[in-house]
Amino acid sequence: MSVETFNPKQTTTLETPVKTIEANKSTTPSNGNRIGFVSLGCPKNLVDSERILTQLRTEGYDVVPSYDDADLVIVNTCGFIDTAVQESLDTIGEALAENGKVIVTGCLGVKEDEIREVHPNVLAITGPHAYETVVEQVHDHLPQPVHNPYQDLVPDIGVKLTPRHYAYLKISEGCNHRCTFCIIPSMRGDLVSRPIGEILDEAQRLKNAGVKELLIISQDTSAYGVDVKHQTGFWNGMPVKTDMLGLCKKLGEMGMWVRLHYVYPYPSVDKVIPLMNEGKVLPYLDIPFQHASPRILKLMKRPAAAERTMDRIKAWKEICPELVIRSTFIVGFPGETEEDFQMLLDFLDEAQLDRVGCFMYSDVEGAKANDLPDPVPEEIKQQRLERFMLKQQAISAAKLQARIGLEYQVIIDEVTPEGAVGRCYTDAPEIDGKVYLTDEFNVQPGDLVWVEMMHADEYDLWGRVVEDDEDSIDAE
């Protein structure tokens, strides 16, 4: 989420899956095997949805974007925060009302009793990454189609819920941290890293299918390989170390934009920054700092030392001056004093982060933070959120004003009646800003074009397409 669009009811759900399913909906008559699919939550949940849909499409089931066209509906739920839980419960209820046959999966699925208390008529419930079980449940309630694999081909990259030119690549599942405000480990378990050869194979298939931007996701990208003690794997017959650096080196050789999400500021990240400066990996880090007060971070049980974070940011930018950092923060955490909050504002002033999202703290069922003393009153949370937003808004506006007159490579995401819309290396899809090319129609989604930035507001840029310029800032 972005601070400029904060809504106390907002969740982490992405809009792209809905658009993608709509754009690729089946037009063939139903034979009783049409699946309606709703993917809620973050990109990690989206990848789970893609895996389920890939198996269903491989077996010949059709996927449709509406309840009334479906013979059964699958809802992949999110349970990260209370608003996400409510969104999931509301969506399940809507699917039941409109269709009547609903299977529930995803993070909220680990709380089956809670779901059935509200919606006792759902057909089946599973937790996250239970791909095979979900497919088996579909078999129990819908006949398997007569499937001709030569007519109904599924691409080797599987079903993707993103546009053709970018894709999320999940490198691990679960998390070893026990942050007091988070219940994800109870839903998804401890860290389990995917074999590095398997990841690189998937990346190569995505490139061959036309993907130009990989968004690397996990619960903790910096910890990739810790669970297997960074053992040496193999890809194309060559040894590759199972760690963040080894993975980034190989991905950086594939000729795609590589964007890193959910990175903790461990020392291991230091080794990746030179790759960014060399243009092998996008100079972009998504780091969920969450707060700046050492006392609050200790209460949160965050895994990084606050007093070294600023030194690390400065060192990174000395190596890679074009580095962009996005982050998320929580205001109003139990025990947060005005002094703690002022430390957070001071951190924003000093860090000068490019993109920032913010949540007001709220209790999450099962989180240890619920039991902490000195809860912050709701009106104080709201005031602090507004002060935070104003502070970061000014920082963002100033940073974007500094980009006016410069040229950047932009990847086109869509072409609207007003013109093309894209992003440069500074922005990830849906969570960051955009670059608007008004009255530019001579491009297609996935095109990479050079753009001179002409205008900016607090969060977005406007520009015009220019010829390649060797003096431009190259994000590849």
Side-chain angles (χ1 to χ4, degrees):
M1 70 183 295
S2 301
V3 292
E4 74 273 17
T5 58
F6 175 81
N7 181 328
K9 296 183 180 180
Q10 187 165 351
T11 69
T12 57
T13 295
L14 305 176
E15 297 179 359
T16 300
V18 177
K19 296 178 181 177
T20 305
I21 292 176
E22 175 67 35
N24 295 282
K25 64 181 178 182
S26 172
T27 57
T28 60
S30 174
N31 293 314
N33 48 42
R34 280 190 169 181
I35 306 292
F37 203 100
V38 182
S39 183
L40 305 176
C42 66
K44 296 179 283 289
N45 230 32
L46 181 146
V47 172
D48 291 348
S49 296
E50 290 175 338
R51 292 181 179 178
I52 294 168
L53 288 175
T54 294
Q55 183 59 40
L56 292 172
R57 288 290 294 117
T58 298
E59 295 184 4
Y61 290 95
D62 285 329
V63 178
V64 294
S66 62
Y67 298 131
D68 53 351
D69 291 334
D71 300 295
L72 180 150
V73 177
I74 299 173
V75 180
N76 191 4
T77 60
C78 178
F80 177 56
I81 55 178
D82 282 354
T83 51
V85 170
Q86 191 59 53
E87 179 189 31
S88 294
L89 292 173
D90 290 346
T91 302
I92 294 167
E94 182 180 272
L96 283 168
E98 296 293 331
N99 183 277
K101 299 178 71 175
V102 178
I103 289 174
V104 176
T105 187
C107 289
L108 189 60
V110 300
K111 300 180 179 180
E112 180 170 354
D113 292 344
E114 181 176 328
I115 295 173
R116 289 201 179 277
E117 182 179 349
V118 181
H119 302 300
N121 296 325
V122 296
L123 298 176
I125 300 173
T126 60
H129 51 86
Y131 320 120
E132 295 85 358
T133 304
V134 173
V135 174
E136 290 170 2
Q137 291 169 347
V138 172
H139 295 165
D140 291 340
H141 298 282
L142 282 189
Q144 286 188 253
V146 177
H147 179 47
N148 185 335
Y150 297 102
Q151 292 180 349
D152 304 317
L153 295 178
V154 175
D156 62 357
I157 61 169
V159 175
K160 309 304 291 182
L161 294 178
T162 53
R164 182 172 180 264
H165 61 280
Y166 72 81
Y168 293 99
L169 181 62
K170 187 191 286 189
I171 64 172
S172 64
E173 189 59 83
C175 182
N176 289 340
H177 303 304
R178 296 297 183 265
C179 300
T180 58
F181 57 83
C182 182
I183 59 172
I184 294 300
S186 68
M187 297 176 173
R188 293 184 174 266
D190 289 336
L191 175 73
V192 178
S193 299
R194 291 178 64 191
I196 195 162
E198 179 183 304
I199 295 172
L200 293 171
D201 280 342
E202 182 177 352
Q204 187 64 62
R205 290 195 299 271
L206 290 168
K207 176 182 170 58
N208 295 343
V211 168
K212 297 182 180 179
E213 178 180 10
L214 287 177
L215 299 107
I216 310 305
I217 59 171
S218 66
Q219 303 296 333
D220 181 359
T221 297
S222 315
Y224 174 66
V226 166
D227 56 312
V228 294
K229 299 180 180 179
H230 301 303
Q231 68 186 19
T232 297
F234 290 88
W235 186 61
N236 286 346
M238 300 295 292
V240 186
K241 191 173 182 181
T242 305
D243 63 10
M244 186 181 179
L245 178 62
L247 179 63
C248 287
K249 282 182 176 178
K250 287 299 180 183
L251 292 175
E253 294 172 359
M254 293 187 179
M256 293 180 282
W257 282 14
V258 178
R259 190 182 299 277
L260 302 178
H261 287 273
Y262 311 111
V263 176
Y264 285 91
Y266 302 146
S268 60
V269 180
D270 301 352
K271 301 175 183 178
V272 177
I273 304 301
L275 296 180
M276 296 181 174
N277 194 51
E278 295 165 10
K280 303 293 180 59
V281 176
L282 290 184
Y284 175 103
L285 285 174
D286 172 13
I287 305 176
F289 290 121
Q290 305 297 14
H291 215 281
S293 163
R295 192 179 70 85
I296 296 300
L297 288 169
K298 186 175 181 180
L299 289 173
M300 291 179 170
K301 290 192 175 179
R302 296 295 287 166
E307 59 272 16
R308 292 198 291 271
T309 296
M310 188 58 65
D311 290 339
R312 180 151 281 128
I313 291 174
K314 291 177 180 177
W316 290 343
K317 291 195 173 183
E318 286 179 3
I319 297 170
C320 182
E322 297 304 321
L323 176 66
V324 159
I325 298 177
R326 97 167 309 275
S327 189
T328 51
F329 293 89
I330 296 172
V331 297
F333 191 79
E336 182 189 63
T337 64
E338 178 62 27
E339 181 181 2
D340 294 318
F341 180 67
Q342 188 58 53
M343 292 181 72
L344 177 54
L345 296 183
D346 292 343
F347 176 83
L348 292 181
D349 275 329
E350 187 174 3
Q352 292 289 299
L353 303 178
D354 298 82
R355 298 296 189 185
V356 170
C358 188
F359 291 90
M360 284 196 305
Y361 173 81
S362 63
D363 286 346
V364 176
E365 184 179 351
K368 292 183 178 180
N370 301 348
D371 300 324
L372 291 173
D374 304 318
V376 179
E378 290 300 315
E379 62 270 21
I380 300 298
K381 292 181 189 178
Q382 184 65 43
Q383 291 171 12
R384 289 177 181 171
L385 175 67
E386 292 170 0
R387 291 164 61 191
F388 181 101
M389 291 167 61
L390 287 173
K391 171 72 69 175
Q392 182 58 34
Q393 185 181 63
I395 292 170
S396 176
K399 293 182 81 70
L400 291 184
Q401 286 295 320
R403 299 188 184 279
I404 293 176
L406 299 179
E407 296 175 11
Y408 295 86
Q409 195 171 47
V410 167
I411 190 166
I412 302 300
D413 282 334
E414 60 178 331
V415 180
T416 72
E418 289 75 36
V421 183
R423 296 170 289 109
C424 54
Y425 82 91
T426 60
D427 299 299
E430 295 213 44
I431 59 174
D432 294 329
K434 298 178 180 180
V435 177
Y436 293 95
L437 306 176
T438 306
D439 295 330
E440 176 59 65
F441 301 100
N442 192 30
V443 291
Q444 298 293 327
D447 286 351
L448 287 164
V449 296
W450 286 98
V451 173
E452 180 184 1
M453 303 305 167
M454 309 296 293
H455 172 70
D457 62 12
E458 292 87 353
Y459 305 104
D460 300 311
L461 288 157
W462 282 256
R464 63 179 182 88
V465 175
V466 297
E467 296 298 321
D468 288 8
D469 185 342
E470 62 183 9
D471 294 326
S472 301
I473 297 174
D474 192 346
E476 289 191 289

